[in-house]
Amino acid sequence: MNVLHVVGARPNFMKVAPVLNALKSRPHVVQTLVHTGQHYDANMSDVFFEQLGIPAPDVNLAVGSGTHAQQTADIMTRFEPIALERKPDLVLVYGDVNSTVAAALVCAKLGIRVGHVEAGLRSFDRTMPEEINRLVTDQLADVLYTPSEDGDRNLQREGIASEKIFRVGNVMIDSLVKLLPLAQRQSRNGLPGRYALVTLHRPANVDDSAILRSILQSLLEVNRDLSVVFPAHPRTRQRIAEFGLNAGQLRVLDPLPYVDFLGLQSRATVVITDSGGIQEETTYLGIPCLTVRENTERPITVSLGTNVLVGRDPDKLRAEVSLVLAGNAKKGSLPPLWDGRAGERIAALLAG
Ligand code: UD1
């Protein structure tokens, strides 16, 4: 059996690693790894491959950045000949980035079976590019691996046959479980004892100067009571410079490798983010998470976990930080199937 994995952006890498690893122990499975090159900086890509133990990609499509249409189209035109040449029995796509939908669309047109890992998540907000990617990928996929029950329900509501849906749990948590002991041994070099860990990269938060200015202002206020540590996505750094904004006293860092970031998360007093995956990682770690978004495609992190949606309301953010500092942070519990074995469940379904 010939399985081809397509990844492209930072949040894909921690999802593919456990599946690749679990399939390695099935001798009748031949695996091919395609990197689209959507993310290309060493600190957004190579370092994740090293730390997660992902083999070098068999093919790198080197598409780089562009508008959504350009990037998606480039991935499609460069991936099509690879799919034709390699003739996979199944192509696995991960998450909700442009590489996910582009590869799924190519395969659907070529009649190649597609499996979607992390299927069924919905924010119900179509202004988010990822929501479009999720909706389209799930309609095209032949096999849908969901992380949680809400995923199954969303897919059924959209008319997807139950026989195609498999609830396997959260693959991202597999990587966390594996590397947490190493992350906890990371040195605390130069870090304050208590800090708020911040990440921001959603276009809705960083591409508009007034919105980004107001978020930075709120973070500067938080920083008076609790040091803010802010590893910034390249997009966010570019926007701060472009809009002439001032991150003042915030500790702005370059993007961090997976293990280093996990170590920082596990010791944070609170995490403030607009990422999807970080909402899940904080829930697993039991660290309070304040999400700077109006909605989430990962509602289980709110219903069971430590996540609170603060939207873009600076008063709400400040109030929630005060609760954390007063020792009254939201408590959470672990969602079902977040046990480090989701990759193994996918491999068992695929290859026995
Ligand atoms: C993409 C995903 C998003 C995911 C995020 C994680 C889509 C639609 N979005 O967003 O879901 O949460 O990755 O990071 O697929 N850049 C660099 N170096 C890189 C990569 C990007 O400098 O290695 C800069 C470029 O200026 C680029 C910008 O970041 O234009 C945005 O990159 P892009 O891949 O378009 O989307 P992300 O914002 O990273």
Side-chain angles (χ1 to χ4, degrees), residues 199-273:
T199 80
L200 288 175
H201 73 282
R202 295 264 156 237
N205 282 336
V206 305
D207 284 0
D208 179 296
S209 67
I211 293 174
L212 183 55
R213 172 176 291 125
S214 120
I215 295 175
L216 287 177
Q217 189 54 42
S218 305
L219 294 176
L220 286 165
E221 286 169 28
V222 170
N223 193 55
R224 288 193 210 130
D225 301 321
L226 184 64
S227 299
V228 168
V229 179
F230 183 7
H233 187 286
R235 171 197 282 278
T236 310
R237 256 193 198 267
Q238 279 166 22
R239 296 294 184 258
I240 292 175
E242 198 179 308
F243 300 147
L245 299 177
N246 182 7
Q249 305 299 311
L250 310 182
R251 290 173 188 237
V252 179
L253 314 175
D254 284 335
L256 291 171
Y258 180 75
V259 174
D260 308 56
F261 188 76
L262 185 54
L264 268 189
Q265 272 194 93
S266 69
R267 292 191 288 260
T269 307
V270 61
V271 173
I272 301 172
T273 189

Side-chain angles (χ1 to χ4, degrees), residues 9-11 38-41 44 65-66 68 71 96-98 129-130 133 201-202 233-235 238:
R10 183 169 63 174
Q38 177 175 345
H39 284 175
Y40 43 85
D41 286 346
M44 298 289 285
S65 302
H68 283 269
Q71 193 176 56
D96 56 14
V97 300
N98 287 344
E130 293 81 3
N133 296 344
H201 73 282
R202 295 264 156 237
H233 187 286
R235 171 197 282 278
Q238 279 166 22

Side-chain angles (χ1 to χ4, degrees), residues 48-176:
F48 287 79
F49 274 64
E50 285 156 29
Q51 292 197 334
L52 291 157
I54 305 172
D58 299 288
V59 180
N60 192 323
L61 304 177
V63 295
S65 302
T67 65
H68 283 269
Q70 276 164 353
Q71 193 176 56
T72 309
D74 281 351
I75 298 168
M76 290 181 67
T77 44
R78 293 183 196 194
F79 179 57
E80 187 180 48
I82 306 294
L84 285 167
E85 177 197 313
R86 303 266 171 163
K87 298 187 179 52
D89 300 300
L90 178 76
V91 169
L92 287 178
V93 297
Y94 295 81
D96 56 14
V97 300
N98 287 344
S99 302
T100 313
V101 70
L105 198 44
V106 167
C107 293
K109 298 273 179 135
L110 293 176
I112 297 171
R113 282 169 65 73
V114 178
H116 184 201
V117 178
E118 202 188 74
L121 299 187
R122 295 290 179 269
S123 65
F124 303 101
D125 173 3
R126 290 200 186 192
T127 65
M128 261 184 107
E130 293 81 3
E131 183 74 355
I132 308 294
N133 296 344
R134 293 180 202 113
L135 283 160
V136 175
T137 304
D138 284 341
Q139 279 300 324
L140 299 176
D142 300 282
V143 198
L144 299 100
Y145 301 108
T146 62
S148 45
E149 201 202 340
D150 53 288
D152 300 22
R153 271 189 271 117
N154 291 333
L155 295 174
Q156 280 158 359
R157 195 178 331 102
E158 289 167 18
I160 290 168
S162 302
E163 308 85 75
K164 299 205 280 189
I165 305 171
F166 299 92
R167 196 183 321 152
V168 294
N170 192 321
V171 280
M172 188 150 195
I173 298 300
D174 290 14
S175 288
L176 186 159

